[in-house]
Amino acid sequence: MSSSTLSTTPIQSIRYSRTLFWLVSLHIFIIAISNYLVQIPVGLFGFITTWGAVTFPFIFLITDLTVRIFGQNLARRIIFFAMLPALVISYYFSVVFSDGQFVGHEHLLDFNLFVFRIVVASFSAYVVGQLLDIQVFNKLRQLKTWWIAPLVSTFIGNLVDSFCFFAIAFYKSPDPFMATHWIEIGAMDYLFKIVMGVLIFLPLYGVILAQLQKILAGKEK
């Protein structure tokens, strides 16, 4: 091993650790805010979805970019480090803030089955959906056409994530509205994520990928 390799190894390790830290933090933030917003229904073109459908697709954007630039091993590490802190934070905010209003920390002393099911559903859907997304994306990212991998992984990953989440969280839920409408809300959630993925996140993915490749190419020169 050359002296130049030895001198750059600590720097590479620091960059890797910083990258991991910021990506994990971003995952935790998106999961936590999405788990809170999924409790708030919203009407869209006569159908019912939730505000969580607006924020959660960012997870797939970040994950796919991570696999593209840093590989699937880092993406899996992000999922491992992010899932438990994100769910604890999700439970906290979902209990102390109800329908957008602060209701007090004393509610943490009472077990909230509705919120707990959302947390468990989020845990299951996040892990299964993200690991599947990484697997699909990693197989397709070798193709010359850059947009095929994020598009296919968006369709498959969001499908598994949406229906896994809504079935676990709201089937026979203590919330009568969500128990009655979870299939409709889950379907609209998925369709809304796909529309956002095609119209917003896919172009955004292309722009960010091009910029990251320029930055990385500049560092290598």
Side-chain angles (χ1 to χ4, degrees):
M1 184 177 294
S2 66
S3 59
S4 60
T5 303
L6 286 171
S7 63
T8 57
T9 298
I11 296 176
Q12 291 173 344
S13 178
I14 292 172
R15 287 177 178 171
Y16 182 90
S17 298
R18 287 177 178 174
T19 301
L20 181 63
F21 171 79
W22 286 111
L23 288 172
V24 167
S25 300
L26 197 53
H27 270 242
I28 291 173
F29 173 76
I30 295 173
I31 294 169
I33 192 67
S34 298
N35 284 346
Y36 173 72
L37 293 176
V38 79
Q39 302 175 58
I40 306 176
V42 58
L44 187 67
F45 304 117
F47 296 94
I48 302 172
T49 184
T50 70
W51 285 112
V54 178
T55 57
F56 194 76
F58 280 101
I59 284 286
F60 291 93
L61 174 69
I62 298 166
T63 299
D64 289 353
L65 282 169
T66 302
V67 176
R68 173 80 69 175
I69 301 298
F70 300 104
Q72 60 179 330
N73 290 332
L74 178 61
R76 289 197 180 103
R77 291 194 69 187
I78 290 169
I79 294 172
F80 176 78
F81 286 116
M83 56 187 179
L84 289 180
L87 298 180
V88 172
I89 295 171
S90 297
Y91 185 84
Y92 169 80
F93 280 103
S94 297
V95 169
V96 301
F97 291 91
S98 179
D99 297 325
Q101 300 293 325
F102 178 74
V103 295
H105 289 91
E106 63 273 10
H107 289 272
L108 291 171
L109 300 176
D110 300 322
F111 179 71
N112 191 317
L113 178 60
F114 178 68
V115 174
F116 179 74
R117 283 188 57 174
I118 291 176
V119 169
V120 172
S122 177
F123 180 90
S124 304
Y126 173 69
V127 173
V128 174
Q130 290 297 293
L131 290 178
L132 178 62
D133 181 70
I134 292 171
Q135 190 70 21
V136 172
F137 185 90
N138 193 58
K139 288 183 178 298
L140 296 176
R141 72 188 180 99
Q142 305 299 331
L143 298 176
K144 293 182 179 180
T145 307
W146 68 267
W147 54 264
I148 294 179
L151 182 65
V152 174
S153 64
T154 295
F155 271 86
I156 297 177
N158 276 302
L159 177 63
V160 173
D161 174 88
S162 294
F163 284 94
C164 181
F165 174 81
F166 279 92
I168 296 173
F170 300 121
Y171 175 70
K172 293 186 177 180
S173 169
D175 184 300
F177 179 83
M178 297 301 286
T180 302
H181 298 283
W182 74 268
I183 295 179
E184 174 190 351
I185 296 174
M188 283 304 302
D189 179 89
Y190 173 66
L191 291 176
F192 188 71
K193 287 176 181 177
I194 293 303
V195 171
M196 288 191 64
V198 173
L199 298 182
I200 298 177
F201 292 106
L202 192 60
L204 183 61
Y205 175 94
V207 172
I208 296 175
L209 177 61
Q211 292 300 317
L212 287 175
Q213 288 175 332
K214 288 181 180 178
I215 293 172
L216 294 173
K219 285 183 178 180
E220 292 174 355
K221 293 180 180 180

